């Protein structure tokens, strides 16, 4: 990899002799793997792509929907037959452009601009260079780099500084970087999960959904040091190396399970909020070599409000509404469930008990050494209380009143959550239990 200093950043002149072949400004015709000043890549010409010298990566227009394209970088070779190529970067994921007359141009003023069919700018690098020639090149690492070639060659811009949802080996993740998940497996627009360095220097995962935001990694119920992290190193830098070792300045690190084997790798924040490292095995299949969560129900926000997440190796993750609630958006669990009843009809309410179930967070009140009856009364007296968790902590039972029911999942140990509902819904729930074949279901089938 040729290291070229960034333009305008370092004051120390750093003279690097570059192999001249790499930076021969192309003539007016399009060079197969470089774009020079005044030239464009057009969406109308399917083969107008930039290809890395090793052939591994391609940059061009990627189709994301009917007549909708994003300027992207992907692994050139599709994996299995009929499968889409693996995209590693996108310029305009939230503003796809028209499949006709759109183009990416390297303007004379040094700005790299993506224009839609109506010539409106949907994305640009906001770079400036009025002096000398420029070259946009896709490197073997998958990094798309804009170089200024005259005088002291320098780097004006690189895609590695603006990751989408994927990190490639040796791509630095810094205090300015973030990964944002896709909306779904097939929808590339920005989703609800984010990887970033938190203000306390800790590499963190955040759920930033339609209704709530919540940090879920490292696990929020642990102290930073209990999670094996340090808040003291403010360099805020992390990297997956080409061998498969990940290390972060907050002392988080891991080795992937195929560490040391030479394979293509990606580290991706998936649309389910889990972060995974995949290796390309046998040039055909991306296989998971590491993941942050083995139980995806621990990822906040996955099932939205008022719903319960269950997970089994066999069936994967499943969301279902709590009894008395119905799914808000049929096509998307992120919106959770809404009550089928009129909330807070005082005097007309009772509880259903969900065994081994916790709803993490949103404790409006914590009451120590409480009887179940007292706790029920506390919640009945407060319109904002949606239910409560009743839990034995060392010496006595404690009561956690909830004003929101989020992050609901099953736990293995003794733990109960009581959901406040109108009496008629409570009796219909109990009837449903009687009708169950298994007399003591862990989770109600609704
Ligand atoms: C243009 O580049 C030349 C050579 O690199 C340099 O001497 C000159 O000062 C530059 N002019 C401007 C306006 O930056
Ligand atoms: C992708 O998701 C976004 C946000 O929900 C939505 O606006 C857009 O229409 C979706 N795109 C496709 C192609 O379904
Ligand atoms: C902070 O982290 C960086 C990157 O991991 C490391 O090189 C540096 O030595 C660390 N600094 C201290 C004081 O530990
Ligand atoms: C990451 O680096 C720290 C020192 O900054 C070290 O203590 C730790 O063992 C490293 N982790 C891995 C997996 O290499
Ligand atoms: C339901 O979810 C889909 C997909 O995310 C979204 O496009 C749509 O706007 C949502 N509808 C409502 C009513 O929120
Ligand atoms: C818990 O409450 C009961 C009844 O009010 C009381 O007798 C007991 O001393 C309390 N226990 C502790 C440890 O405070």
């Amino acid at each position: 990899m040729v290291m070229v200093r960034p333009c305008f950043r370092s004051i120390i002149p750093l003279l690097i002799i570059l192999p001249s072949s790499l930076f021969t400004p192309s003539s007016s015709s399009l060079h197969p793997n470089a774009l020079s000043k005044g030239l464009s890549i057009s969406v109308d010409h399917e083969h107008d792509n930039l290809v890395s010298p090793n052939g591994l990566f391609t940059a061009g227009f990627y189709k994301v929907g009917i007549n909708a394209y994003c300027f992207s970088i992907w692994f050139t070779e599709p994996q299995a037959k009929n499968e889409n190529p693996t995209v590693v970067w996108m310029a305009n994921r939230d503003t796809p452009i028209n499949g006709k007359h759109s183009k990416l141009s390297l303007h004379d003023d040094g700005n790299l601009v993506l224009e839609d069919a109506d010539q409106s700018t949907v994305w640009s690098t906001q770079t400036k260079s009025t002096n000398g020639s420029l070259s946009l090149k896709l490197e073997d690492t998958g990094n798309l780099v804009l170089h200024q070639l005259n005088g002291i060659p320098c780097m004006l811009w690189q895609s590695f500084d603006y990751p989408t949802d994927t990190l490639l080996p040796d791509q630095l993740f810094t205090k300015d970087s973030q990964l944002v998940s896709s909306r779904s497996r097939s929808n590339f627009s920005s989703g609800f999960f984010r990887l970033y360095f938190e203000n306390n220097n800790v590499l963190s995962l955040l759920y930033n959904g339609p209704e709530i935001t919540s940090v879920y990694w490292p696990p929020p119920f642990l102290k930073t040091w209990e999670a094996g992290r340090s808040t003291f190193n403010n360099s805020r830098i992390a990297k997956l190396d080409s061998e498969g070792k990940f290390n972060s300045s907050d002392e988080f690190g891991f080795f992937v399970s195929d560490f040391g084997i030479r394979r293509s790798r990606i580290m991706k924040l998936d649309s389910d909020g889990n972060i995974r490292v995949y290796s390309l095995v046998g040039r055909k299949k991306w296989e998971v070599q590491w993941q942050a969560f083995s139980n995806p129900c621990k990822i906040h926000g996955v099932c939205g409000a008022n719903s319960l997440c269950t997970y089994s190796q066999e069936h994967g993750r499943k969301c279902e509404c709590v009894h008395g609630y119905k799914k808000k958006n049929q096509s998307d669990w992120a919106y959770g469930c809404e009550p089928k009843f009129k909330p807070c009809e005082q005097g007309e309410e009772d509880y259903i008990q969900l065994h081994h179930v916790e709803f993490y967070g949103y404790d409006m009140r914590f009451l120590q050494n409480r009887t179940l009856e007292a706790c029920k009364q506390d919640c009945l007296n407060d319109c904002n209380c949606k239910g409560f968790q009743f839990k034995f902590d060392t010496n006595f039972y404690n009561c956690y009143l909830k004003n929101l029911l989020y992050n609901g999942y099953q736990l293995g140990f003794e733990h109960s959550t009581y959901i406040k509902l109108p009496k008629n819904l409570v009796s219909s729930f109990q009837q449903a239990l009687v009708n169950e074949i298994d007399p003591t279901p862990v989770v109600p089938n609704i």
Side-chain angles (χ1 to χ4, degrees), residues 120-362:
S120 61
T121 297
V122 298
W123 175 87
S124 79
T125 53
Q126 296 179 317
T127 44
K128 261 201 173 68
S129 167
T130 46
N131 195 6
S133 59
L134 299 173
S135 166
L136 180 72
K137 250 185 135 264
L138 183 58
E139 298 188 337
D140 284 345
T141 52
N143 192 9
L144 186 67
V145 186
L146 181 59
H147 284 114
Q148 179 175 292
L149 306 178
N150 284 53
I152 301 160
C154 61
M155 184 179 73
L156 282 167
W157 178 90
Q158 59 175 340
S159 61
F160 268 18
D161 286 340
Y162 304 92
T164 306
D165 61 1
T166 301
L167 277 184
L168 287 165
D170 293 325
Q171 177 174 3
L172 281 186
F173 191 82
T174 70
K175 62 178 171 42
D176 301 317
S177 316
Q178 59 171 8
L179 299 185
V180 176
S181 64
S182 284
R183 200 64 184 71
S184 70
R185 274 165 170 271
S186 56
N187 185 333
F188 289 92
S189 23
S190 298
F192 299 133
F193 301 99
R194 187 151 75 94
L195 177 78
Y196 67 110
F197 276 104
E198 182 56 275
N199 290 336
N200 64 359
N201 300 321
V202 172
L203 188 64
S204 304
L205 283 168
L206 172 81
Y207 169 71
N208 186 7
E211 284 169 348
I212 59 157
T213 58
S214 175
V215 171
Y216 60 96
W217 187 79
F221 48 85
L222 296 180
K223 302 260 192 304
T224 310
W225 49 270
E226 287 172 338
R229 307 295 190 94
S230 158
T231 55
F232 302 118
N233 189 324
N234 60 12
S235 62
R236 297 191 194 173
I237 195 161
K239 192 180 81 175
L240 176 71
D241 72 15
S242 55
E243 298 231 276
K245 185 182 85 175
F246 183 85
N247 214 322
S248 163
S249 55
D250 69 355
E251 291 178 5
F252 173 73
F254 61 84
F255 293 92
V256 296
S257 53
D258 64 345
F259 176 75
I261 302 175
R262 278 180 62 95
R263 282 173 175 162
S264 290
R265 289 196 175 83
I266 54 171
M267 183 168 183
K268 186 172 176 196
L269 178 53
D270 281 316
S271 56
D272 65 356
N274 208 344
I275 184 148
R276 299 183 176 90
V277 177
Y278 297 86
S279 296
L280 190 55
V281 177
R283 307 191 73 200
K284 273 202 165 66
K285 196 163 174 277
W286 289 103
E287 285 181 4
V288 178
Q289 305 294 346
W290 177 84
Q291 59 182 352
F293 290 88
S294 53
N295 180 352
C297 287
K298 299 275 177 80
I299 295 166
H300 286 181
V302 282
C303 293
N306 308 310
S307 69
L308 204 55
C309 179
T310 52
Y311 173 75
S312 69
Q313 207 99 43
E314 225 187 325
H315 299 109
R317 192 190 72 196
K318 202 174 146 218
C319 300
E320 55 189 329
C321 290
V322 169
H323 186 76
Y325 290 80
K326 65 176 197 297
K327 200 175 170 188
K328 212 165 166 179
N329 183 329
Q330 284 313 313
S331 64
D332 199 339
W333 273 108
Y335 296 91
C337 308
E338 58 190 0
K340 290 195 280 194
F341 54 90
K342 192 157 160 260
C344 210
E345 299 270 16
Q346 268 168 351
E348 296 299 320
E349 291 167 321
D350 201 355
Y351 296 93
I352 60 167
Q353 181 184 4
L354 302 180
H355 296 276
H356 310 289
V357 165
E358 175 176 28
F359 287 81
Y360 185 81
Y362 307 101

Side-chain angles (χ1 to χ4, degrees), residues 31-162:
H31 191 275
N33 53 24
L35 186 69
S36 37
K37 206 152 137 177
L39 295 182
S40 309
I41 301 176
S42 165
V43 74
D44 302 286
H45 305 127
E46 208 186 309
H47 301 292
D48 251 13
N49 291 330
L50 297 178
V51 179
S52 62
N54 63 3
L56 199 56
F57 294 98
T58 298
F61 291 95
Y62 187 85
K63 189 172 180 175
V64 295
I66 300 159
N67 198 34
Y69 289 77
C70 292
F71 186 75
S72 311
I73 299 170
W74 62 85
F75 278 88
T76 306
E77 222 173 289
Q79 276 61 62
K81 249 194 185 157
N82 304 324
E83 255 190 51
N84 294 327
T86 305
V87 174
V88 296
W89 182 80
M90 271 185 178
N92 56 317
R93 68 194 305 198
D94 292 314
T95 47
I97 52 169
N98 200 293
K100 279 210 163 27
H101 312 303
S102 302
K103 59 181 198 275
L104 179 82
S105 311
L106 188 47
H107 285 184
D108 286 340
D109 63 0
N111 201 4
L112 182 65
V113 179
L114 183 61
E115 279 173 22
D116 208 342
D118 63 358
Q119 297 185 326
S120 61
T121 297
V122 298
W123 175 87
S124 79
T125 53
Q126 296 179 317
T127 44
K128 261 201 173 68
S129 167
T130 46
N131 195 6
S133 59
L134 299 173
S135 166
L136 180 72
K137 250 185 135 264
L138 183 58
E139 298 188 337
D140 284 345
T141 52
N143 192 9
L144 186 67
V145 186
L146 181 59
H147 284 114
Q148 179 175 292
L149 306 178
N150 284 53
I152 301 160
C154 61
M155 184 179 73
L156 282 167
W157 178 90
Q158 59 175 340
S159 61
F160 268 18
D161 286 340
Y162 304 92

